[in-house]
Amino acid sequence: MADSPGIYRWSTYFHEANSTDVLYQQEEGVLVLPVGAGVLLGNGNRYRVVDSWFSYDKHGIFDLGLHVFVVPAAGGDDRLGQLAPDYFREDPDT
């Protein structure tokens, strides 16, 4: 997709709400998610979007692309966990 114009060459980065650490990176495409959207990242980790920012700062802490800030989904806010509790369990080996 190197020849694609515009936003398709930028990544979407998912961060814990108060951290610069990247939990997950979606390359080659910006995923626009509204505040409150649920996100299922690797290993069954479920999150809620609390904010997002687009960065044009190529050499800064937040690289080029969309940065989505998330918090862990819990309790009544975790629809996937409620619908599939046997799949989303604390100990996957049991």
Side-chain angles (χ1 to χ4, degrees):
M1 294 193 74
D3 295 348
S4 297
I7 64 172
Y8 295 107
R9 60 194 166 134
W10 293 320
S11 295
T12 299
Y13 302 91
F14 292 89
H15 306 271
E16 189 81 43
N18 295 315
S19 174
T20 59
D21 296 339
V22 175
L23 295 171
Y24 182 79
Q25 178 182 357
Q26 173 63 46
E27 296 181 2
E28 301 292 337
V30 171
L31 302 174
V32 180
L33 300 169
V35 170
V39 180
L40 174 64
L41 298 180
N43 299 325
N45 296 321
R46 297 155 328 272
Y47 298 91
R48 288 281 174 194
V49 174
V50 294
D51 202 358
S52 63
W53 288 76
F54 194 91
S55 172
Y56 289 101
D57 188 6
K58 186 173 186 175
H59 302 292
I61 293 171
F62 298 100
D63 202 357
L64 288 168
L66 184 66
H67 297 267
V68 178
F69 298 89
V70 296
V71 294
D77 191 35
D78 185 2
R79 185 174 307 265
L80 293 184
Q82 293 171 6
L83 294 175
D86 292 337
Y87 182 76
F88 297 110
R89 57 187 182 267
E90 292 296 320
D91 185 4
D93 294 328
T94 59

